[in-house]
Amino acid sequence: KLSPDFEKFLSFIPEILSRDESFLKDLESCTRGVTIRKGDYLIRTGEFAKMPIFINKGLFINQYINENGNECVTGFSSDSMYPFVSTIGYFTQVPSEFEVKAIEMVNCSVFPEDIERLSLGYPAFATCYQNVMLMIISKLYSMFAVRQTCKAEEFLKYLYTNHQWIVSRVPDKYIAQYMGLVILGIVS
């Protein structure tokens, strides 16, 4: 019997794979559970991204910190929306320019370097994983476009209407940073 966390992950992959016993055994053997405490970092600026993860429960923020120490929140990932987390550095093998920080206790499944092996061995998984990464990129571009084309009040209405989980779970200071209000000196 699979753990509830593993079953949650399987709901994101194609049905053909969730019924493939060989794939399930292979996946389970290379997946491990990790808990990240609130306030701890999954990755810091300058570190190499180690592996992609799947959030079973919890919430991360993505941050950029410039050379002057100014912080900017660039996105959110949670168990309820966008549960896959990776940084571009994982693919490019260059040190991360971003940080990923837990703002709730996070229970996650990590996929050490076996993602590539699984992708080579199971084409349906490769397609699924590629689609997940494209979804992450699409999410970032879409939210950036909405944020850039709306006034602060309009953007907050957009969040309340389309991303209630952000408004209800993310502390106000991080939403303000996401909106660029901290950088502009409106919120300190």
Side-chain angles (χ1 to χ4, degrees):
K1 179 164 171 30
L2 298 172
S3 73
D5 291 340
F6 203 69
E7 286 184 16
K8 182 177 179 182
F9 173 75
L10 291 180
S11 71
F12 284 87
I13 65 172
E15 188 177 335
I16 190 166
L17 287 175
S18 65
R19 290 184 279 135
D20 182 333
E21 290 297 321
S22 174
F23 172 77
L24 294 176
K25 285 180 186 176
D26 202 0
L27 181 66
E28 200 164 23
S29 73
C30 69
T31 306
R32 62 184 171 86
V34 172
T35 299
I36 300 170
R37 294 184 314 239
K38 179 180 179 179
D40 285 351
Y41 289 82
L42 178 65
I43 189 167
R44 287 187 166 272
T45 302
E47 293 179 351
F48 283 91
K50 298 165 191 75
M51 62 200 80
I53 70 161
F54 177 82
I55 303 170
N56 298 310
K57 182 155 181 53
L59 175 63
F60 284 111
I61 59 167
N62 302 325
Q63 294 177 298
Y64 175 80
I65 302 173
N66 73 9
E67 63 278 353
N68 297 328
N70 294 326
E71 297 179 9
C72 170
V73 173
T74 61
F76 311 97
S77 298
S78 79
D79 49 39
S80 61
M81 281 294 279
Y82 314 120
F84 294 93
V85 179
S86 188
T87 62
I88 197 69
Y90 175 78
F91 302 100
T92 61
Q93 293 302 300
V94 297
S96 179
E97 294 181 359
F98 297 88
E99 299 187 335
V100 179
K101 178 181 177 181
I103 57 173
E104 293 178 356
M105 177 77 79
V106 178
N107 171 305
C108 54
S109 297
V110 298
F111 304 92
E113 294 77 36
D114 289 317
I115 285 287
E116 285 75 21
R117 183 184 58 74
L118 288 170
S119 294
L120 288 171
Y122 304 93
F125 181 76
T127 301
C128 175
Y129 185 64
Q130 182 180 30
N131 288 340
V132 164
M133 293 301 107
L134 291 172
M135 183 257 323
I136 291 170
I137 293 167
S138 173
K139 166 193 80 160
L140 290 172
Y141 280 128
S142 295
M143 288 290 278
F144 178 78
V146 172
R147 200 173 77 218
Q148 293 299 307
T149 58
C150 290
K151 293 181 177 159
E153 186 178 331
E154 293 171 323
F155 186 69
L156 278 174
K157 286 179 185 176
Y158 170 81
L159 289 179
Y160 272 97
T161 304
N162 298 290
H163 299 284
Q164 182 63 42
W165 66 274
I166 292 174
V167 177
S168 63
R169 293 175 69 183
V170 175
D172 291 345
K173 73 176 188 175
Y174 294 123
I175 294 174
Q177 285 180 357
Y178 186 64
M179 294 173 62
L181 300 178
V182 173
I183 293 171
L184 298 174
I186 297 171
V187 176
S188 57

